[in-house]
């Protein structure tokens, strides 16, 4: 059975090998969630992508919302009406949703609502590695943290239960190594989703004007007290191992490293795993820690547990020494942990020699490294973004500052294109372009993707119009959210479950925002696109150029499905002068430069976009007929 099928049809008592994210999807099915929302983002995407494939059959309403704030609000609306809901996003998505989150904690929900945040220690696919456990502290919401795929499913169900008992949304904090690890998952029974909700008016609870908010803040504090009592007695917090030498307090993915490191080190360590991480079970922790002179706190990123352990011990009046990130820096405050790092911390603390010769391991890795082919992150062969960047570069050269944004097109910073001078977060290309153009007194080009345009660029575009910033926004519209796996967005006219939806055109939005100079071009038509872009950067005030051409991966996939042959190109070596423009200025990976300076086309890689044939000054790149 394909995976989404397994998740839908697997029966109670059966066990399947699933990704952590797929396990959460099964939790969503078992819990009878009726509404699921998301905005995609690694490492969370497979949760909603899995649900999108089975939603209709499972009786779930699933949507890709325009951004995470809308996703949280939509899920909250459903849960307020008594329909269980779930929403998932990557860690930075919760920043976007945080305005809603903070006050949603005051109004709460009537049916269970779980907000899944997938954090990304080590920035595997993110612009930062923030620790979203602090969002639980900031908002006051309960938060659970699984260590394995099985726990990810089970904790989703527990989160729904906690959410209903407290009438508050519950956070489920995942990290890359739990989301993307496969493990056996035992299935449980399924509940049927509620088909229709009911809105019971309660203005004092749901309308957060100041007079109501003051009261609701106190209600939240009471619920946090109740949540703390739940955490104190929760089976999610448990002593995994008894030991006499040192105590270890840990949670989430770090537990896996701890168990291995304890085994390898031979240290007789007690291990307390915290699964219900907010509110923090201080009494339980103090009780565990009081049995030891020394406690090591093992967690990734911020010292969230450590600070809480210190507070718990201080409150209880115990003098146990706490080790982790704050004082001795035994555990780093950045990046991912590993068995090696935890083993080192444990051995340093207990003054033992390391039981593994890591120097020899490092040596072996060093020897193997040159054998690996280099794999720099690059735009795919035939990617329309490459053609758009070629045009932008041709028009503005090195002169103009080009702010960029998050998506495949962030790879435009790589040589030879080298477009992208500032990148902060989704939508920031347009906002930062406003400020840079003001500070420099000159036109700035902002590069943004189509999904990102809808997600976060529109208010900044209106700002540019309203305040008259001379910026040109290049919207690289490849008709998908490519970076995260090709999810739909409003510009495509297709919804999350494959049904048709109303298509929202970027050019119409731009005009509606008041932009007077709006153009749509095909980046594969280099001459025309150059002409148009030249005009767009020459106007007064803001302009928008939509470079529209389908993501090549999707176009090629469709052509293969339909049995359509892609055009083939070759380089006529007689006509080629070896000027190198195709590799030096365009740099498609299908163009292969030989040591003697000759260039050829790798037929395996070429997707037949034909752009290189247009940019060759000598007409040496030719389409093979027939
Ligand atoms: C707030 C936030 N949500 C989600 C993401 C994950 N993410 C990175 S790029 C991207 C969208 C890319 O789509 P698009 O703008 O269409 O560009 P493409 O990759 O298709 O070129 C997403 C969703 C993120 N980085 N930040």
């Amino acid at each position: 059975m394909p995976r989404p099928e397994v998740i839908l049809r697997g029966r109670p008592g059966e066990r399947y090998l699933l990704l952590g994210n797929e396990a959460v999807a099964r939790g969503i099915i078992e819990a009878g969630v009726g509404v699921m929302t998301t905005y995609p983002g690694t490492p969370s995407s497979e949760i909603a992508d899995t649900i999108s494939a089975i939603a209709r059959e499972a009786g779930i309403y699933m949507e890709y919302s325009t951004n995470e704030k809308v996703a949280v609000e939509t899920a909250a609306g459903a849960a307020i009406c008594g329909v269980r809901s779930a929403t998932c996003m990557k860690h930075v998505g919760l920043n976007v949703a945080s305005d809603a989150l903070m006050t949603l904690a005051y109004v709460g929900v009537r049916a269970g609502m779980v907000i899944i945040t997938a954090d990304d220690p080590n920035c595997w696919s993110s612009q930062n590695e923030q620790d979203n456990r602090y969002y639980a502290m900031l908002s006051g919401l309960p938060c659970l943290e699984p260590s394995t795929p099985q726990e990810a499913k089970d904790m989703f169900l527990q989160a729904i239960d906690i959410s209903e008992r407290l009438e508050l949304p519950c956070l489920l904090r995942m990290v890359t190594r739990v989301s993307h690890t496969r493990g056996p998952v035992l299935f449980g029974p399924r509940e049927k989703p509620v088909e229709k909700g009911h809105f019971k008016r309660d203005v004092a609870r749901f309308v957060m004007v100041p007079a109501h908010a003051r009261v609701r803040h106190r209600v939240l504090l009471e619920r946090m007290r109740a949540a703390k009592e739940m955490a104190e007695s929760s089976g999610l917090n448990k002593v995994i191992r008894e030991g006499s030498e040192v105590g270890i307090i840990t949670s989430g993915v770090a537990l896996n490293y701890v168990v291995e490191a304890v085994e390898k080190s031979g240290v007789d360590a007690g291990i307390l795993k915290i699964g219900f991480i907010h509110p923090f079970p201080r009494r339980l922790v103090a009780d565990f820690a009081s049995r030891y002179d020394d406690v090591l706190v093992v967690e990734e990123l911020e010292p969230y547990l450590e600070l809480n352990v210190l507070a718990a011990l201080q409150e209880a009046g115990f003098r146990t020494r706490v080790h982790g990130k704050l004082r001795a820096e035994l555990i780093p405050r950045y990046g991912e942990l590993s068995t090696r790092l935890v083993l080192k911390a444990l051995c340093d603390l207990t003054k033992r020699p390391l039981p593994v010769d890591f120097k020899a391991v490092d040596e072996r890795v060093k020897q193997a490294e040159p054998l690996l082919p280099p794999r720099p992150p690059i735009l795919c062969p035939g990617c329309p973004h490459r053609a758009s960047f070629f045009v932008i570069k041709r028009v503005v050269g090195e002169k103009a500052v080009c702010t960029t944004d998050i998506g495949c097109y962030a790879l435009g910073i790589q040589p030879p294109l080298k477009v992208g001078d500032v990148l902060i977060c989704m939508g920031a290309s347009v906002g930062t372009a406003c400020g840079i153009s003001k500070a420099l007194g000159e036109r700035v080009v902002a590069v943004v993707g189509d999904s990102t345009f809808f997600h976060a660029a529109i208010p900044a575009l209106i700002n540019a119009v309203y305040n008259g910033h001379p910026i040109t926004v290049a919207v690289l519209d490849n008709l998908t959210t490519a970076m995260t796996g090709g999810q739909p967005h409003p510009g495509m006219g297709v919804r999350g479950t494959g049904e048709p939806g109303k298509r929202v055109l970027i050019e119409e939005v731009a005009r509606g925002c008041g932009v007077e100079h709006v153009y749509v071009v095909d980046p594969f038509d280099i001459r025309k696109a150059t002409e148009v872009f030249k005009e767009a950067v020459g106007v007064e005030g803001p302009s928008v150029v939509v470079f529209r051409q389908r993501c090549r991966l999707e176009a090629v996939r469709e052509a293969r499905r339909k049995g359509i042959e892609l055009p083939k190109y070759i380089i006529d070596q007689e006509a080629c002068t070896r000027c190198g423009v195709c590799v030096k200025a365009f740099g498609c990976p299908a163009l292969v430069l030989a040591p003697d300076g000759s260039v050829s086309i790798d037929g395996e890689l070429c997707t037949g976009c034909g752009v290189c044939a247009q940019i060759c000054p000598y007409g040496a790149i030719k389409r093979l007929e027939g």
Side-chain angles (χ1 to χ4, degrees), residues 119-133:
D119 295 7
D120 189 17
N122 202 42
C123 304
W124 287 111
S125 45
S126 308
Q127 67 268 35
N128 75 13
E129 54 177 353
Q130 73 189 37
D131 189 332
N132 275 7
R133 294 176 299 175

Side-chain angles (χ1 to χ4, degrees), residues 105 251 289 357 399-400 504 566:
S251 76
D357 179 5
K399 287 197 310 277
V504 181
L566 296 167

Side-chain angles (χ1 to χ4, degrees), residues 39-40 68 385 406 408-409 426 449-452 478 480 482-483:
Y39 183 75
E68 294 86 352
H385 295 342
I406 306 204
C408 291
Y409 50 92
M426 285 189 79
D450 41 352
S451 190
T452 304
N478 57 0
T480 189
M483 182 93 166

Side-chain angles (χ1 to χ4, degrees), residues 31 38 50 77 102 128 137 182 313 338 426 440 522:
T38 190
T50 302
M102 294 302 295
N128 75 13
M137 276 181 99
R182 267 179 221 286
L313 287 169
S338 60
M426 285 189 79
L440 300 181
D522 176 359

Side-chain angles (χ1 to χ4, degrees), residues 414-426:
Q414 303 282 6
L417 302 156
K418 295 205 262 180
V419 177
D421 298 308
V422 179
L423 187 162
I424 297 177
C425 66
M426 285 189 79

Side-chain angles (χ1 to χ4, degrees), residues 276-346:
F276 198 142
I277 61 165
H278 187 263
F280 195 73
R282 285 190 184 177
R283 286 200 306 276
L284 175 90
V285 167
D287 179 49
F288 172 81
S290 67
R291 297 181 224 152
Y292 301 94
D293 292 332
D294 293 281
V295 159
L296 177 64
V297 183
V298 182
E299 60 193 316
E300 280 179 344
L301 301 182
E302 291 299 301
Y304 167 84
L305 296 179
E306 193 175 344
L307 284 168
N308 278 294
V309 170
L310 285 166
L313 287 169
Q314 208 266 347
E315 195 174 76
F318 295 135
R319 295 185 166 273
T320 307
R321 289 180 293 268
V322 178
H323 310 267
K325 300 168 194 263
L326 288 172
R327 274 176 277 188
E329 293 185 30
L330 285 174
I331 306 278
R333 202 167 166 166
Y334 54 85
E336 288 183 310
L337 292 182
S338 60
T339 304
R340 178 175 176 169
L341 280 170
V342 179
L343 189 58
K344 169 116 182 37
L346 197 54

Side-chain angles (χ1 to χ4, degrees), residues 571 573 582-583 588-595 597-603 605:
I571 300 187
Q573 298 297 339
C582 56
V583 279
C588 175
L591 294 161
V592 185
L593 178 65
S598 67
V599 182
S600 58
I601 292 177
D602 181 337
L605 292 179

Side-chain angles (χ1 to χ4, degrees), residues 401-403 422 424 427-446 459-461 463-465 467-473:
V401 174
C402 292
T403 58
V422 179
I424 297 177
S429 58
V430 184
T432 50
C434 290
I436 294 171
S437 70
K438 188 82 226 160
L440 300 181
E442 60 189 43
R443 180 161 296 270
V444 171
V445 173
L461 183 62
N463 183 64
V465 171
N467 292 303
H469 295 299
I471 66 170
T472 296
V473 181

